[in-house]
Amino acid sequence: MRSCLRVLAATTLWLGVFGVGNARADVPRTGDNDGVLVGSGAAPVQLEIFCDPQCPYCAEFESTYGDRVAGELAGGRLAVTYRWLTFLDDRHHNDVSARATNALFLAADPTTSPTAYQAFVQDLYHHQSHDGPSNDDLAAMARESGVPYGLADRIAAGDIVVDTAALTDANKARLTEETPDNPGTPTVYDLNTKTLIDTHDSGWLDKLAS
């Protein structure tokens, strides 16, 4: 699968704490506060996915695999740590990725179910555009996906809960550490085996979930 981000500047690698030890089946932040853990830390398959909300290849990934990911999340067989990045804001001269990422972190709450969060991710990618969805649009997507209304109201209000510049620096460094030869989005990384997943293989998720 193609990727948006190919070349990363050399940075000091930031080593954080993986949030996969948390056995709750809700949607909290990871221990380092730079990721969103969707699903149970006890799930046998633990993946880390690096995405930018404006990345068209991330949208293609979610269109192709999102429903299957949702099914594995619901069945307790899979947990996903989403590592959001906002590097495409600079390229497109907008703040679409930052606003969407902030909304995705607002939705990362113990009251949000993994299936609701995954539905929100898929809906967001379904509505990509140059100007991006407004905060009200993001809130409507969140509500329709099953994110609690109180959180959706905060999304509509534009409440800021994450420093997206610092978040991107940390997750970009982590991405470069895990995939130094070809960092890009989307990248899917197996946290159990510490290996990169080849998503060009259409059966990759079947093999992991079997």
Side-chain angles (χ1 to χ4, degrees):
M1 185 169 288
R2 296 171 294 175
S3 111
C4 282
L5 182 62
R6 288 293 182 185
V7 180
L8 294 173
T11 57
T12 301
L13 294 182
W14 187 95
L15 299 179
V17 178
F18 289 110
V20 297
N22 186 338
R24 297 180 303 175
D26 52 20
V27 185
R29 292 195 192 190
T30 54
D32 58 23
N33 286 321
D34 296 321
V36 176
L37 175 59
V38 186
S40 171
V45 179
Q46 298 281 336
L47 299 180
E48 189 172 53
I49 302 179
F50 294 84
C51 294
D52 185 302
Q54 291 190 87
C55 173
Y57 308 124
C58 295
E60 179 184 343
F61 174 86
E62 289 292 343
S63 176
T64 303
Y65 299 111
D67 286 346
R68 179 64 192 280
V69 168
E72 297 297 336
L73 284 168
R77 294 177 293 274
L78 169 68
V80 172
T81 296
Y82 277 107
R83 295 276 175 183
W84 297 106
L85 300 107
T86 64
F87 67 93
L88 286 175
D89 279 355
D90 288 340
R91 189 175 302 178
H92 296 310
H93 307 290
N94 61 30
D95 66 348
V96 172
S97 293
R99 288 191 299 102
T101 293
N102 189 69
L104 288 160
F105 270 85
L106 274 165
D109 185 89
T111 61
T112 301
S113 72
T115 51
Y117 192 89
Q118 177 61 24
F120 184 29
V121 170
Q122 291 179 252
D123 202 12
L124 188 150
Y125 277 116
H126 183 67
H127 290 89
Q128 278 187 337
S129 67
H130 180 268
D131 295 328
S134 67
N135 288 341
D136 284 338
D137 292 335
L138 289 167
M141 287 183 230
R143 292 187 191 98
E144 290 168 4
S145 299
V147 173
Y149 273 46
L151 298 175
D153 289 344
R154 294 181 65 193
I155 291 172
D159 285 0
I160 303 299
V161 295
V162 64
D163 181 339
T164 55
L167 175 81
T168 294
D169 286 345
N171 285 339
K172 189 182 289 186
R174 191 184 190 95
L175 174 61
T176 305
E177 177 193 4
E178 293 177 353
T179 60
D181 296 330
N182 190 27
T185 56
T187 286
V188 181
Y189 187 78
D190 189 326
L191 289 171
N192 291 330
T193 63
K194 302 295 189 288
T195 57
L196 183 67
I197 300 298
D198 179 10
T199 56
H200 290 94
D201 176 1
S202 60
W204 66 270
L205 189 52
D206 292 323
K207 294 174 184 176
L208 287 173
S210 62

